[in-house]
Amino acid sequence: MMKPAPRETILSLFSQTPGGFVSGERISAELGVSRTAVWKHIRSLRQAGYQIEAIPSRGYKLAKAPDVLMPESIQAGLGCRLVGSRVRCFDETDSTNLQACRLGDEGEVDGLVVIADRQSSGKGRMGRQWESPAGVNLYASILLRPSILPFEAPKLTFLSAVAVCRAINNCTGLQPTVKWPNDILLDGAKVAGLLNEMSSETDQVHYVVLGIGVNLNMHVDQFPADLRYPATSLAIMTRQPVSRLDFTRTLLQEIDVLYQIFLEQGSVPIMSAWTDLCDMTGKPVMVDCNEVQIEGTMTGLAEDGALLVRTKTGKIETVYAGDVRPASRGSQCFSS
Ligand code: BTN
């Protein structure tokens, strides 16, 4: 395991003493550097936007952290077993998924997290674009190297979905729902989208990238006028800003826990948690799959993650790709 950077160690000490002072002596001992060097690290944290109080007899206290996504603030005291073992943050990139794939090809470690403040070509499902303005949302991709067969990789989308719902609930108290295959909704409006990508051979996965975009503080005016679906952000729903840093850390912790469950117990507990979050199960749905429309009742998920729909004739249709919507109010919710 790589030794944490000095700034990360200092932030970790602050996170272990919330609201309290950490003595210069303790920091100097933890880092194995002089008190002058400690002061220089504190100065560089202040330059990065951290408000740090200093009282000679007591030490240093973190008064306020900036809501900027930086590796050291994300990693400090994160407590994950794997996810976030390495974090790379970009002010701007084309797409965090593309970055993670490039880094995956170069041999980057299992658990790497790639985050961007802004994406110039954020990728959505089915070749669509993901709106990615600066300073407001979370755009993250997590590189995982599970020993699974390629057909099992799509199941990890359900893992991301459950983790995002749990993080939203932890940070806001709101209870999102999931929409097959990879949308997260609040009151029927999309708040987060997931796009997993994979590099594999026929019988071996090299890596999977979990791409996650969550609308955290996006304002109504920042959504494109021609969106195909209703969209929202956590700040719109709660009427208050959400800390990007707190949300990101919570999300990574949730993914880490669920990924351990996936590795140890398989996908069944994950799919079952996803099904509990889906309010369309047992209800009438309409599925648009290319040129074909399937109408029926959503009965649940197949073992491989496909959507199961029972049609009027009683036949169970297995859907591998498409857009699903409630049959009763579909035309109000979606335009083509
Ligand atoms: C969708 O619902 O269409 C999927 C959207 C996925 C967006 C995220 S943002 C982070 C990651 N990088 C990308 O380019 N896309 C995913």
Side-chain angles (χ1 to χ4, degrees):
M1 184 104 175
M2 254 170 41
K3 200 170 166 245
R7 295 199 329 181
E8 189 193 322
T9 303
I10 297 174
L11 292 173
S12 182
L13 288 170
F14 284 140
S15 72
Q16 289 161 25
T17 330
F21 281 87
V22 181
S23 70
E25 199 179 355
R26 169 129 191 253
I27 300 175
S28 135
E30 289 281 341
L31 294 179
V33 299
S34 69
R35 298 285 289 273
T36 312
V38 168
W39 185 83
K40 283 186 182 153
H41 290 306
I42 294 285
R43 188 179 57 186
S44 98
L45 280 168
R46 283 181 175 145
Q47 282 162 351
Y50 288 85
Q51 288 174 26
I52 298 171
E53 286 172 23
I55 297 185
S57 56
R58 302 182 68 187
Y60 300 99
K61 176 173 142 176
L62 179 61
K64 196 162 185 270
D67 195 17
V68 179
L69 299 174
M70 292 189 299
E72 53 265 56
S73 53
I74 292 170
Q75 286 179 306
L78 189 63
C80 290
R81 279 163 70 168
L82 177 75
V83 174
S85 52
R86 187 157 154 71
V87 177
R88 301 190 56 158
C89 295
F90 296 83
D91 285 340
E92 177 176 335
T93 188
D94 45 3
S95 146
T96 55
N97 269 24
L98 287 173
Q99 276 290 357
C101 288
R102 288 191 280 261
L103 293 164
D105 291 338
E106 287 166 17
E108 258 288 7
V109 294
D110 200 6
L112 167 80
V113 175
V114 178
I115 288 178
D117 190 49
R118 170 176 187 271
Q119 298 183 116
S120 53
S121 312
K123 290 167 70 174
R125 254 180 90 218
M126 300 169 129
R128 294 171 194 146
Q129 191 186 320
W130 185 255
E131 208 55 36
S132 310
V136 282
N137 293 333
L138 174 63
Y139 317 113
S141 299
I142 295 126
L143 177 78
L144 298 173
R145 297 185 181 277
S147 301
I148 56 172
L149 292 168
F151 81 89
E152 292 178 287
K155 296 176 183 173
L156 287 165
T157 304
F158 300 98
L159 186 156
S160 306
V162 174
V164 170
C165 288
R166 290 185 179 173
I168 291 176
N169 187 253
N170 284 347
C171 293
T172 65
L174 297 170
Q175 185 52 71
T177 56
V178 292
K179 183 165 87 71
W180 186 89
N182 50 6
D183 290 353
I184 314 296
L185 309 180
L186 282 170
D187 282 353
K190 183 157 167 171
V191 69
L194 315 167
L195 182 69
N196 288 5
E197 303 195 48
M198 154 169 82
S199 161
S200 71
E201 290 166 37
T202 318
D203 55 359
Q204 192 197 356
V205 169
H206 300 308
Y207 60 77
V208 179
V209 166
L210 310 186
I212 302 176
V214 189
N215 299 333
L216 296 179
N217 293 309
M218 208 157 158
H219 192 263
V220 181
D221 313 337
Q222 290 176 293
F223 290 99
D226 58 351
L227 265 188
R228 300 175 71 254
Y229 48 79
T232 192
S233 71
L234 295 188
I236 291 172
M237 299 304 286
T238 58
R239 293 167 193 270
Q240 49 189 341
V242 174
S243 158
R244 292 196 299 168
L245 181 58
D246 289 350
F247 185 87
T248 304
R249 287 166 53 87
T250 307
L251 177 64
L252 298 184
Q253 287 160 347
E254 294 293 349
I255 293 174
D256 192 65
V257 168
L258 289 166
Y259 189 53
Q260 293 308 323
I261 293 175
F262 178 83
L263 294 179
E264 284 161 19
Q265 300 171 40
S267 60
V268 173
I270 311 287
M271 310 276 256
S272 149
W274 185 93
T275 306
D276 289 344
L277 291 164
C278 181
D279 63 358
M280 288 193 202
T281 313
K283 304 226 175 97
V285 292
M286 179 72 86
V287 192
D288 297 309
C289 337
N290 296 321
E291 306 295 290
V292 187
Q293 282 201 326
I294 300 169
E295 191 171 359
T297 303
M298 178 178 159
T299 59
L301 294 178
E303 215 230 310
D304 59 2
L307 183 76
L308 299 175
V309 179
R310 192 180 52 243
T311 64
K312 262 199 290 202
T313 63
K315 187 176 172 220
I316 302 283
E317 295 281 357
T318 306
V319 183
Y320 286 94
D323 277 320
V324 59
R325 58 190 153 95
S328 47
R329 56 184 193 120
S331 56
Q332 292 158 20
C333 277
F334 292 78
S335 59
S336 57

